[in-house]
Amino acid sequence: MTRPLVSIVMGSSNDWEIMQQAARALQDFGVTFDARVISAHRSPDLLFDYIKDMSAQGVQFFIAGAGGAAHLAGVIAGKTALPVLGVPIPSKYLKGMDSLLSIVQMPKGIPVATFAIGEAGAANAGLFAVSMLALNDKALAQKLADYRKKQAEQIAATTLPTLS
């Protein structure tokens, strides 16, 4: 197996419904990744060992998705200097606003790039990782350019029905 370039971590298996969008974006571009469920609160030692192991394997980014208190991205960022991309997971009572605020309000000196709540945020976190990796990979940069061109062509080809 090829070493993963990106790690996708989520606090609960329920988060996979959202976080698979990040995995799909990476997979579409042929970017290797590892995806795990590890709770920052219920299994911190496992999380710390995982961060150390993934870093040693050459992971370039961590994408962390969590809901509610959503400290997973911040804990990861506190344990590595690698970029951490935070994805707020929609929560039952506050619809993900709690998740968003707890990820985006990181203290000065420990940055986490924060994306939109839910599927769009997860997909964009995956695409952001692709774009950062493409800075040093011409083939990946071309795939990304082709993807963007295809998006533009699809919009240009969109027509709306006329009103009668």
Side-chain angles (χ1 to χ4, degrees), residues 7 11 27 30 44 47-48 67-68 77 87 90 98 102 116 123-124 126 144-145:
S7 169
Q27 187 174 27
L47 179 62
F48 296 166
V87 178
D98 49 347
S102 66
N124 282 338
L144 188 58

Side-chain angles (χ1 to χ4, degrees), residues 64-86:
H71 294 297
L72 182 61
V75 171
I76 293 171
K79 293 297 283 184
T80 182
L82 293 171
V84 177
L85 315 179

